[in-house]
Amino acid sequence: QRTSFHRSQTLDFKNGYAFSRLPREGVGGETLFANQLSQDELDDLCTKGATLTYGQVKRPAPSRFTPAFVANDKKVLKFDAYFMEEVAISPEEHYRIRHVGLYYYLEDDSMCIIEPKVKNSGLVQGKLMRRHRVPKNEHGDYYHWKDLNLGIDLTIYGRTYRLVNCDSFTKVFLESQGIEVNPPEELVSDPYTEQRRTPVQKPIVPAGPDPFRQFLTYDTKVLRFYAIWDDTNCAFGDHHPCIIHYFLADDTVEVREVYKRNDGRDPFPVLMRRQRLPKIFVDKTKNFPSCVLEITDHEVQEWYSPKDFGIGKTVTLLGRTFLIYDCDKFTQDFYREKYGLTDFQPLDVNKKPLEKVPQVIPPYNGFGIPEDSLQNCLSLFPKPPRKDIVKMLENNLKVLRYQVALESPVPEDKNRRFILSYFLSDDTISIYEPPVRNSGILGGKYLRKTKVTKPGSTPENPMYYEPSDFTIGSTIEVFGHRFVITDADEYVLNYLERNAKSYPAATVQSMRDHFLPRKVVVETASSGIPKKDLDDLIVEVQKELKLQAPFNTRQFHETFHHFDKEGSGFLDKTTFLNICDRFNVPTSTILLKKVRWKGCCACG
């Protein structure tokens, strides 16, 4: 029942000399009683007297102790053995015999199995089992040298080894220990290895042409053909121009693809490497599936030769079909001398230009602006329309603002006023409604910044509103809503006057007529009359007008402009009184004396 078998150290060095000493502990740490005497020795000491007169009796030197691992160091039992391995994936062999050497180390009762390496065997050989104590059964027993002999089967880890022979030291050791060694057996050879060693009878083939003579005659002589590889049957296929080289020295063929600049293909040099190409294969039946990487002469009935190439011929090389349409001068001379050919007219393989199909633009669907929707018809991945960068930089932050009124049959919409902004940088329009308290209408952004087409324009030729279309009193139609321009910013007049050459004279004159009364007021204010007196007079006139019934202010303005033929902003007293009587505007004599006869001041 012992589980520990370690031994204590007995070998050591002292002053450079090796010496051995007695073990302090037994195997596995067992206590040793080196000087304990037996009962018989104690009795002899009690009864036996001294035999010497002087001194003590010298004890004899103890016998020299040698550990077992020192006595059996480098002593190995060597057996020749073999085992049978099953082969289930080969039709030529069902099992194989593998020869091994079994080594038993007497030092620590360990074993190892080594298989000699055979070159090009394809097997993992060498040390099949590392050196260790090999278990014998399930009870925890280990193999001992007493279990080894010739002519027996030794099962180790599920594999059965047959011991057939041993060396002379092993035989002498076993016989010295009283074991009768069985006679040796012959080492069984592997049947597949013996079959491979049998010389194969080569068939006698009649002597053919000398290939070395062909090499010396046609060395550095190459036939060059120009061909087209039609790959249009595959996805993204095309017609690939190629050059076929036929080497007369060894009847090999090489194919190179011709690349053009910016053709979108990877410029690898060779499409088919230089090799012999089979033309007709031998019909053969296969009883066992095999995978062949190289084609031998036994599998090919006919190889490609110079007679298979020519202008106008179609050749299939490794599954690719090539149409030969031309060749160089050396190739023409070779075929003219050897085969007597005279017609070397090249074929026309240029692509015919495809008939251009006109692009039909579908009708505008109403989403977005027409230019933006048109990009979906021009490319698969639409891009935003190109903008005029110069125009955007020149007209950056330049906005023309107009006051517009909504034309609507709804009575609530008559008093609604809007601010129309025209952006000169990109010709877009936005409309904003100023909020009016207690009006019942939520003000804010009415139309976001976008381009607005004129009525009657088509999606194919859209016409957008321009600054020349905005005059006082003109109507602007924005997506079904009609707006009338009633007023404009003073910046609009200044911009149109600075760029009068770019816009119609009617547009500029409309703005001038609209802003003329305001200029008269400014001139009157700067004519020397005290500003306070002028303001008081305007307030007094406005009070008088508020006492009267409401009248059409717009028509009142138009009447004053109608009688002002010269556009000076002045009317005589008689004309002014007639206009006031027509619109039932009461005139006070005191006010008339104070007011200078200006139509703009009369209308407040």
Side-chain angles (χ1 to χ4, degrees):
Q1 299 180 357
R2 181 181 300 173
T3 59
S4 179
F5 298 91
H6 63 272
R7 299 177 175 86
S8 60
Q9 180 68 23
T10 58
L11 302 179
D12 201 355
F13 282 87
K14 188 173 183 180
N15 297 330
Y17 293 92
F19 70 97
S20 61
R21 59 188 178 191
L22 296 178
R24 299 178 181 178
E25 296 179 350
V27 176
E30 192 178 34
T31 305
L32 294 179
F33 301 96
N35 299 326
Q36 185 176 2
L37 299 178
S38 63
Q39 187 63 34
D40 296 337
E41 293 176 346
L42 294 175
D43 295 340
D44 292 342
L45 291 177
C46 295
T47 58
K48 189 175 182 180
T51 57
L52 296 178
T53 305
Y54 303 100
Q56 298 179 355
V57 179
K58 294 184 178 180
R59 297 180 181 180
S63 60
R64 188 174 182 85
F65 174 77
T66 303
F69 65 90
V70 176
N72 297 326
D73 185 28
K74 299 181 181 178
K75 294 183 179 180
V76 184
L77 305 183
K78 195 260 183 181
F79 294 89
D80 295 333
Y82 69 88
F83 68 93
M84 183 183 300
E85 183 181 31
E86 183 180 359
V87 180
I89 59 175
S90 176
E92 299 179 356
E93 55 177 343
H94 302 288
Y95 68 91
R96 65 170 63 100
I97 302 297
R98 299 177 64 174
H99 301 161
V100 297
L102 189 146
Y103 297 87
Y104 184 93
Y105 297 87
L106 297 173
E107 177 185 358
D108 53 357
D109 298 329
S110 61
M111 299 171 59
C112 76
I113 299 177
I114 299 176
E115 181 182 9
K117 292 185 178 181
V118 180
K119 192 175 182 180
N120 297 329
S121 65
L123 303 175
V124 180
Q125 297 176 326
K127 183 175 289 188
L128 301 183
M129 186 182 72
R130 64 178 180 84
R131 176 180 172 181
H132 67 288
R133 297 189 68 191
V134 181
K136 181 179 179 181
N137 50 36
E138 299 177 354
H139 304 291
D141 299 334
Y142 295 92
Y143 277 110
H144 196 261
W145 53 266
K146 297 178 182 179
D147 301 323
L148 306 179
N149 203 339
L150 302 183
I152 65 173
D153 292 333
L154 195 66
T155 303
I156 298 176
Y157 296 124
R159 181 178 287 175
T160 302
Y161 298 88
R162 179 73 177 181
L163 306 183
V164 296
N165 203 350
C166 63
D167 57 1
S168 58
F169 172 78
T170 304
K171 184 177 181 180
V172 172
F173 176 80
L174 294 178
E175 291 178 349
S176 65
Q177 300 298 327
I179 298 177
E180 183 179 357
V181 180
N182 298 331
E185 299 178 358
E186 292 185 0
L187 196 63
V188 179
S189 59
D190 184 26
Y192 181 73
T193 305
E194 294 297 329
Q195 179 184 355
R196 293 290 300 272
R197 291 176 180 174
T198 304
V200 180
Q201 295 182 358
K202 296 183 180 181
I204 301 176
V205 181
D210 187 5
F212 188 66
R213 180 179 180 180
Q214 178 183 358
F215 173 76
L216 294 179
T217 305
Y218 296 107
D219 187 25
T220 68
K221 295 182 179 180
V222 182
L223 305 180
R224 176 179 295 179
F225 302 92
Y226 301 98
I228 289 292
W229 170 33
D230 188 1
D231 191 29
T232 54
N233 295 331
C234 301
F236 310 104
D238 198 359
H239 292 85
H240 304 267
C242 302
I243 296 178
I244 301 177
H245 291 154
Y246 188 94
F247 297 86
L248 297 172
D250 52 358
D251 296 327
T252 55
V253 181
E254 177 190 66
V255 181
R256 291 177 174 267
E257 188 173 356
V258 179
Y259 296 95
K260 297 180 181 179
R261 192 172 186 180
N262 298 328
D263 58 358
R265 297 188 178 93
D266 294 332
F268 55 90
V270 180
L271 181 63
M272 294 184 188
R273 65 176 178 85
R274 179 178 175 181
Q275 57 183 316
R276 293 186 69 188
L277 296 179
K279 182 180 179 182
I280 302 175
F281 288 91
V282 176
D283 295 336
K284 59 179 180 179
T285 58
K286 296 183 178 180
N287 297 327
F288 187 79
S290 62
C291 181
V292 181
L293 297 179
E294 295 182 359
I295 300 175
T296 60
D297 295 338
H298 304 285
E299 300 171 350
V300 179
Q301 182 177 353
E302 183 180 357
W303 300 86
Y304 273 105
S305 60
K307 64 182 180 180
D308 300 318
F309 296 89
I311 297 177
K313 291 185 178 180
T314 301
V315 293
T316 302
L317 307 178
L318 299 183
R320 294 178 175 88
T321 303
F322 297 87
L323 172 62
I324 300 176
Y325 64 89
D326 199 2
C327 60
D328 61 354
K329 187 177 183 304
F330 172 78
T331 306
Q332 296 177 7
D333 297 339
F334 175 81
Y335 278 91
R336 187 180 294 108
E337 296 176 2
K338 189 168 184 178
Y339 298 101
L341 299 179
T342 57
D343 185 13
F344 299 102
Q345 183 67 26
L347 302 179
D348 186 12
V349 293
N350 295 327
K351 293 183 180 179
K352 297 181 179 179
L354 299 177
E355 186 176 340
K356 190 174 182 180
V357 179
Q359 185 179 9
V360 179
I361 304 299
Y364 177 58
N365 55 7
F367 293 95
I369 61 176
E371 290 81 357
D372 195 8
S373 300
L374 182 62
Q375 300 300 321
N376 297 290
C377 306
L378 300 180
S379 62
L380 182 60
F381 300 98
K383 298 180 180 179
R386 298 188 62 181
K387 299 180 181 180
D388 191 350
I389 304 299
V390 177
K391 182 178 180 181
M392 293 177 62
L393 294 177
E394 291 178 351
N395 299 314
N396 187 26
L397 302 179
K398 293 182 180 181
V399 183
L400 305 182
R401 292 179 176 87
Y402 303 87
Q403 181 180 349
V404 295
L406 179 63
E407 281 190 357
S408 175
V410 181
E412 289 79 6
D413 293 340
K414 291 184 178 180
N415 296 327
R416 297 176 65 180
R417 295 296 180 265
F418 301 87
I419 304 299
L420 187 147
S421 301
Y422 186 91
F423 298 87
L424 296 172
S425 59
D426 52 0
D427 298 330
T428 56
I429 295 176
S430 68
I431 300 177
Y432 175 79
E433 183 178 8
V436 179
R437 296 184 63 181
N438 301 325
S439 64
I441 299 175
L442 185 64
K445 183 183 292 185
Y446 188 81
L447 176 68
R448 66 178 180 86
K449 186 179 178 181
T450 183
K451 285 187 175 183
V452 180
T453 57
K454 296 180 181 180
S457 63
T458 60
E460 293 78 12
N461 187 20
M463 294 182 296
Y464 298 101
Y465 278 109
E466 298 178 353
S468 60
D469 301 320
F470 300 112
T471 58
I472 301 299
S474 62
T475 303
I476 306 298
E477 185 174 345
V478 180
F479 301 116
H481 299 272
R482 297 171 62 86
F483 295 89
V484 178
I485 300 178
T486 59
D487 197 0
D489 194 357
E490 192 174 354
Y491 176 78
V492 178
L493 178 60
N494 298 333
Y495 176 79
L496 293 178
E497 288 179 347
R498 287 197 305 267
N499 303 274
K501 297 181 180 179
S502 303
Y503 300 100
T507 304
V508 181
Q509 186 62 35
S510 174
M511 290 297 167
R512 287 175 180 172
D513 296 342
H514 178 71
F515 283 96
L516 183 58
R518 299 183 187 181
K519 290 184 178 180
V520 172
V521 173
V522 174
E523 292 175 358
T524 303
S526 60
S527 60
I529 302 176
K531 186 177 184 302
K532 186 176 183 305
D533 297 342
L534 184 61
D535 294 339
D536 295 340
L537 180 60
I538 293 175
V539 171
E540 188 175 354
V541 173
Q542 290 178 350
K543 287 180 179 180
E544 291 291 335
L545 292 176
K546 289 180 180 179
L547 295 176
Q548 306 300 325
F551 60 96
N552 195 338
T553 307
R554 180 179 176 184
Q555 189 176 1
F556 192 60
H557 279 273
E558 292 178 353
T559 305
F560 274 103
H561 288 293
H562 175 71
F563 285 99
D564 188 11
K565 303 293 184 179
E566 299 178 358
S568 61
F570 294 89
L571 292 177
D572 54 21
K573 182 177 179 180
T574 305
T575 306
F576 175 73
L577 293 176
N578 293 333
I579 295 175
C580 291
D581 293 339
R582 181 184 300 180
F583 288 93
N584 297 323
V585 177
T587 57
S588 174
T589 307
I590 300 174
L591 290 176
L592 291 176
K593 291 181 180 180
K594 296 181 181 179
V595 176
R596 295 186 180 183
W597 309 112
K598 296 181 181 180
C600 61
C601 292
C603 54

